[in-house]
Amino acid sequence: EVQLVESGGGLVQPGGSLRLSCAASGFTFSRYWMSWVRQAPGKGLEWVANMKQDGSEKYYVDSVKGRFTISRDNAKNSLYLQMNSLRAEDTAVYYCAREVSESTALADWGKGTTVTVSS
Amino acid sequence: AIQLTQSPSSLSASIGDRVTITCRASQGISSALAWYQQKPGKAPKLLIYDASSLESGVPSRFSGSGSGTDFTLTISSLQPEDFATYYCQQCNSYPITFGQGTRLEIK
């Protein structure tokens, strides 16, 4: 059974930093693209970033470019999102998701971790 | 960025009804479209990918169609567990984008 477990969320002041982690199990992590998707309170889904199996390709939504960095450790079956210069509008539930092979459709999702940016 | 517009934004329907939700892309995306179901407080669930491929384990009452700019998600006979919010997602180009969602409510 595929499991994705996010951690690292919390309350942070504007301008602060957080590092989210996603622990993967139940599948061969190194074979899949992985994504982060967020959902602000009461709002829709917003794709944030994704990363190729070997880390050679990464893509970001414009609103986080230069502030967020996606990374992975295939030996630890883990995905990360380093978030710097956080803003109030980054407040959301952040989901880790596994992409369908040959597509960026998101086949499996974690339960999410909540990030709140507030003073 | 490719914009996706879903219609309607909300919908009331009864058990057993046939329901169709539409997703229109601001430019052609071939068949690179996925549909998700999300219930309150839960993560989204993939229903359809590549516009019409049913994800494993998803009931056959769900179907998807379309290509280019116009897509539909159809639920052939609504069940109580289908009342949720539905999102489309384009998988054609970066940045990946989602529609704004369609909330399906019980009439």
Side-chain angles (χ1 to χ4, degrees):
Chain A
E1 178 192 5
V2 171
Q3 284 202 321
L4 297 167
V5 180
E6 303 92 339
S7 60
L11 174 64
V12 61
Q13 292 187 340
S17 298
L18 276 179
R19 187 193 195 208
L20 305 185
S21 299
C22 171
S25 61
F27 66 101
T28 306
F29 180 75
S30 60
R31 292 184 182 175
Y32 293 90
W33 284 74
M34 296 293 295
S35 275
W36 288 99
V37 176
R38 67 184 178 182
Q39 187 168 35
K43 301 297 184 182
L45 301 169
E46 181 181 38
W47 174 82
V48 174
N50 72 350
M51 187 170 194
K52 193 175 180 179
Q53 293 93 326
D54 62 359
S56 61
E57 294 182 41
K58 307 175 186 181
Y59 298 91
Y60 299 90
V61 68
D62 282 353
S63 59
V64 309
K65 282 180 183 176
R67 300 189 300 123
F68 290 12
T69 302
I70 189 172
S71 62
R72 65 192 293 163
D73 185 335
N74 288 339
K76 294 183 177 180
N77 292 336
S78 293
L79 181 73
Y80 306 101
L81 187 67
Q82 177 66 44
M83 305 187 296
N84 299 330
S85 303
L86 282 160
R87 307 167 179 166
E89 55 265 34
D90 296 317
T91 294
V93 175
Y94 284 73
Y95 296 101
C96 164
R98 178 178 73 91
E99 297 187 10
V100 173
S101 295
E102 308 302 324
S103 169
T104 54
L106 301 167
D108 297 287
W109 297 63
K111 293 183 177 181
T113 187
T114 300
V115 172
T116 303
V117 184
S118 174
S119 55
Chain B
I2 296 174
Q3 295 182 7
L4 298 178
T5 304
Q6 291 182 229
S7 60
S9 295
S10 63
L11 173 61
S12 294
S14 301
I15 302 298
D17 282 355
R18 179 183 180 89
V19 167
T20 297
I21 298 169
T22 297
C23 179
R24 174 163 288 175
S26 59
Q27 61 190 76
I29 58 170
S30 185
S31 297
L33 190 99
W35 289 97
Y36 301 86
Q37 176 193 70
Q38 187 179 32
K39 297 182 179 179
K42 300 295 187 181
K45 174 186 176 182
L46 177 65
L47 301 174
I48 302 285
Y49 63 97
D50 292 346
S52 60
S53 296
L54 190 69
E55 173 69 349
S56 176
V58 174
S60 59
R61 64 181 178 272
F62 291 92
S63 64
S65 64
S67 65
T69 60
D70 295 312
F71 301 87
T72 58
L73 173 71
T74 299
I75 310 172
S76 60
S77 178
L78 272 175
Q79 299 301 302
E81 60 267 30
D82 299 338
F83 292 94
T85 299
Y86 292 84
Y87 294 93
C88 58
Q89 175 216 353
Q90 65 85 13
C91 311
N92 183 72
S93 62
Y94 291 104
I96 295 166
T97 48
F98 289 88
Q100 82 278 14
T102 294
R103 185 173 179 181
L104 178 54
E105 300 175 322
I106 300 174
K107 183 182 287 184

